[in-house]
Amino acid sequence: MTVETTMAAEAGQEADHSMPLQLTCPNCGATDLVMEQGARFCEACGYGVDEPVTGEEEPSEFQGPKPCVSCGGTEIDAEGYCTDCGDLQPRRRDRMEVDLGVVAGISDRGLRHPRNEDSMALRPALGLDGRNLVVAVVCDGVSTSERPDEASAAAVAAAAKLLLTAIAAGTPEPVAERVPEPEPAHVDPVETAVMELQSEIETEPDDAAEAAGAPVVIGPADLSLISRHAVADADRAVSDLARDADHGNPPACTYVSAIVGEEVTVAWLGDSRAYWLDERGTSRALTQDDAAEGSHAIEAWLGADSGAPEPHLARFTPDGPGVVLVCSDGLWNYVEKAADLAALALPAALTDPFGAAARLVRKALDSGGHDNITAVLVPYPVQAPAEGAAGQTGASQQP
């Protein structure tokens, strides 16, 4: 059931978006990134940094050796063992790590599963209005389906690509007519959030702006619209994996995405979650599971047998600094309450989202690690280009 909602903040404090954007090329580590309308690329190596990053990419020739996950040593032999402590290093998909400064994520196989069936995709995106957004998508493969790891990987790639393409184009028009707009519906409140029914999403560009030749800028309603279409694309990508040999269990996965700008726009199906975390006591879940309370038997998913479900959509305007957490159930199984997640992640997540993500994943591992664990953190407010500096970004921490 599709829900378009607005979560009103308790206070009217306006977030500061004047900080210079700080990004590092995930391919070579350079900071001289060039931003053009609808595109961003690294001047040093030519890497197209508007592509979603998943952590599954081949190691770049520009990057140094990845440190040992146990001792931090940098000498890893040809068979994958650390020469300092002797521990075997995880395969690339067993431990996927992405640190882009303004957003970071870690996906870990955990201690009990033979493979990592979670996937993530993340990337900052430059809108036509000069403001920056961050896109984060997390999918969790349904273990009882065939090839759940392929399902989650296909879903995050398709969804993130559509979101980034639509944001860069400045309009949802490339996808606006794919799916008919449903009637709005009611949803129960999520934790302490105040949720109000939103009017129907407007898909038509402003006539006056279009006549004047001005670019059509994506607004909050458009972000909800493209979020819906991203879910539809993800569902098609997972459905395309189905084979006759699947014996009634085609590839399937859950889904949650967040677009973080001045507002937070969330879409979800299943029991992967998004949270708002802050230090003011207003941390909350932004999603509501498609499952009976206390049950992991999900009632909505992506895949050939999903019945083309409509995603839930919500919008939230934070009242001050905080962080958006997008995660799989491998994390919230152990730390479910938003206040407890905030206590673990903050204040570090505001300036070091990668370190905070590592802390959250470590907590789940230390608590048993029975499932795959994925945590993506987006600090709020999102940094934006400084006035008059739209051509290049500043320095950032190395990935």
Side-chain angles (χ1 to χ4, degrees), residues 209-255:
E210 187 176 45
V216 179
V217 178
I218 286 182
D222 299 313
L223 293 177
S224 296
L225 178 64
I226 66 172
S227 293
R228 289 186 57 249
H229 293 304
V231 175
D233 263 24
D235 187 49
R236 280 188 285 270
V238 178
S239 297
D240 287 346
L241 298 174
R243 302 172 184 166
D244 292 339
D246 288 336
H247 306 295
N249 293 309
C253 66
T254 65
Y255 179 97

Side-chain angles (χ1 to χ4, degrees), residues 324-346:
V324 176
L325 166 66
V326 184
C327 65
S328 64
D329 64 347
L331 174 62
W332 67 254
N333 276 337
Y334 295 109
V335 190
E336 182 171 7
K337 292 184 178 180
D340 295 336
L341 289 164
L344 283 169
L346 296 172

